[in-house]
Amino acid sequence: MAKNNIKVPFGYEPPTGKGTLKGTLWVYDSFEGYTEQELTRLLALSDERRLARVIFYPLHEETLRRMVKGEHTPYYKRVQALEDMLEHTDTDVDYTIESFENKRKKYTPADYAFRFLEEKYQGPFFLYVTEETANLLAGYESFETWIKKVRFFIDGGGGPLHPKLQEYAGRWERV
């Protein structure tokens, strides 16, 4: 039996042409020290790739504390700064700031966050991460599952990459 059967109303015709938007870009980051130039570059990438939606997923302090050592700005301050920057950008990109981590108020594993995003939003999925975050994610056990489901966009210079990222070089690209 077919797994992907969907019901549509009589007379429905799927959208065609180059004008259709596809995919959801997840921006998985702390947004600490995020600049308007980085945000503009990110929004330009989503517009260039014709992505339907951008989901900003700010990480909670507890998640950051377990991923990266050091002190971090409180969640609400980082989200407020991101909202302010998004208000000042002149963009037609449909975006959402996901507040899932704020509701949990505790450590959220990347695997759990990605499953949540996968269930809530429409695919295909793309993940925008910094080089440091990509290397951290590549060290997790569930990395191989997600690199097969999600295409990675890695922001950053040409620093050393985790061997797992090098193994799956066809599933990610630098931006």
Side-chain angles (χ1 to χ4, degrees), residues 97-115:
I97 298 175
E98 185 57 59
S99 61
F100 180 65
E101 290 235 358
N102 190 38
K103 293 174 188 171
R104 286 180 49 87
K105 296 190 186 319
K106 59 183 179 180
Y107 168 66
T108 306
D111 187 43
Y112 190 73
F114 295 162
R115 278 195 314 253

Side-chain angles (χ1 to χ4, degrees), residues 72-171:
H72 302 284
T73 310
Y75 177 85
Y76 72 94
K77 286 185 180 180
R78 290 181 281 120
V79 170
Q80 184 61 47
L82 179 62
E83 287 173 351
D84 292 343
M85 278 192 292
L86 285 167
E87 285 177 13
H88 289 83
T89 59
D90 184 29
T91 184
D92 295 332
V93 175
D94 182 20
Y95 64 85
T96 303
I97 298 175
E98 185 57 59
S99 61
F100 180 65
E101 290 235 358
N102 190 38
K103 293 174 188 171
R104 286 180 49 87
K105 296 190 186 319
K106 59 183 179 180
Y107 168 66
T108 306
D111 187 43
Y112 190 73
F114 295 162
R115 278 195 314 253
F116 168 77
L117 292 169
E118 183 182 37
E119 290 172 8
K120 187 170 181 180
Y121 298 102
Q122 187 175 6
F125 301 112
F126 303 89
L127 178 65
Y128 186 91
V129 291
T130 62
E131 187 174 20
E132 178 186 3
T133 306
N135 282 328
L136 288 171
L137 292 174
Y140 296 154
E141 191 175 311
S142 62
F143 174 76
E144 288 186 28
T145 304
W146 288 107
I147 193 76
K148 292 175 184 176
K149 290 182 181 182
V150 178
R151 182 158 183 86
F152 281 46
F153 293 135
I154 300 176
D155 183 23
L161 292 174
H162 194 280
K164 291 269 185 175
L165 280 169
Q166 293 172 352
E167 183 181 336
Y168 289 98
R171 294 292 305 155

